[in-house]
Amino acid sequence: MQIFSRGHCWCKPDWLEETLSKEKNKTIPKLVTIVNPGNPSGSYVPDPLLRRISELCKNAGCWLVVDNTYEYFMYDGLKHTCVEAPHVVNVFSFSKAYGMMGWRVGYIAYPSEVEGLEAQLLKTQDNIPICASIIGQKLALYSLELGAEWVKERVEKLTKNRDIILDALSPLGANAVKGGQGAIYLWAKLPSGASNDVEVVQWLAKRHGVIVIPGSASGGPGYVRVSFGGLVEDVCSVAAARLRKGMEELVSKGMLSS
């Protein structure tokens, strides 16, 4: 099974199928978790692939937990979907979709027919040292009453930022940049001669005045995560110009110090 995004095959479930295989008497994971759309990748899991992953987890007898924090952050007509089943738990957050970072409000959708699951979830929550404030819960409720259209109208404006940053990353070459289908991130592969992503990030900050996140912070050394959210278009253009200059220099001359 192959899923294509922006003309490129970006995901196969073969690795998961092999991991969950009961052959060779290996230990099967008790839980699989995915983020959809993805952080740090900015890619999304289409409905056919999501259902295939769910089926693999069901057959292996393990849970599937799906983080839907960026559910409304979809572009180019793509649609986010959820899957429901007795082995699936869906996680949601108000932090990104409704701009409530720091309020620490979210919720989960779980299969109520699974005996004992609710009690175990409540046991876990009882041991979390923080909780959602009353005013935060009221704000979350008002956000739900206002509806998703308020969010989607603002998310649509991010496509311009995304395209500006995509152009800034173009010196890295064709197929070096993934993502941009969902969430607020692009995932860029660094040139082979400058694969130390932490050093590249420090160099970009000091020499070119632009900040990105090292891929190694997310288990992806040799990559950087670039966010196109939280910036007005004019500021995004300034940042993109600095980023493009840095990438052009990195590709042609490496990390110059002066």
Side-chain angles (χ1 to χ4, degrees), residues 29-40:
K30 295 183 178 180
L31 183 147
V32 171
T33 181
I34 59 176
V35 184
N36 187 35
N39 176 10

Side-chain angles (χ1 to χ4, degrees), residues 11-189:
C11 188
K12 294 182 180 181
D14 300 10
W15 60 270
L16 181 60
E17 187 168 7
E18 182 179 349
T19 300
L20 297 180
S21 171
K22 296 181 180 179
E23 297 177 356
K24 301 179 182 178
N25 297 319
K26 61 184 178 182
T27 302
I28 303 298
K30 295 183 178 180
L31 183 147
V32 171
T33 181
I34 59 176
V35 184
N36 187 35
N39 176 10
S41 69
S43 297
Y44 91 116
V45 181
D47 188 68
L49 180 55
L50 183 62
R51 294 186 181 280
R52 175 60 176 151
I53 292 172
S54 175
E55 180 185 4
L56 290 173
C57 292
K58 176 183 176 182
N59 294 338
C62 70
W63 288 95
L64 173 62
V65 177
V66 186
D67 183 338
N68 301 281
T69 294
Y70 295 93
E71 59 177 322
Y72 298 133
F73 288 74
M74 300 296 299
Y75 310 103
D76 304 323
L78 299 174
K79 302 294 183 182
H80 172 275
T81 59
C82 291
V83 62
E84 298 179 45
H87 64 288
V88 178
V89 174
N90 282 287
V91 180
F92 302 88
S93 172
F94 291 88
S95 295
K96 300 299 188 294
Y98 294 96
M100 291 177 58
M101 288 75 71
W103 291 84
R104 318 311 297 172
V105 185
Y107 62 99
I108 64 173
Y110 63 92
S112 57
E113 67 270 24
V114 177
E115 185 177 354
L117 178 59
E118 181 177 356
Q120 295 301 317
L121 291 172
L122 289 174
K123 182 192 297 183
T124 301
Q125 183 168 348
D126 284 344
N127 287 281
I128 295 176
I130 60 172
C131 64
S133 64
I134 293 178
I135 189 173
Q137 294 180 57
K138 289 185 177 295
L139 179 58
L141 178 60
Y142 176 73
S143 298
L144 290 175
E145 293 172 346
L146 198 60
E149 288 306 314
W150 181 91
V151 181
K152 293 177 180 178
E153 289 174 4
R154 286 150 180 81
V155 168
E156 286 178 3
K157 299 177 182 178
L158 293 177
T159 56
K160 182 65 175 178
N161 281 7
R162 179 199 62 184
D163 294 341
I164 291 172
I165 299 299
L166 276 171
D167 181 69
L169 293 170
S170 61
L172 294 175
N175 302 328
V177 182
K178 304 298 183 184
Q181 297 85 39
I184 52 175
Y185 309 111
L186 294 167
W187 187 244
K189 182 175 177 60

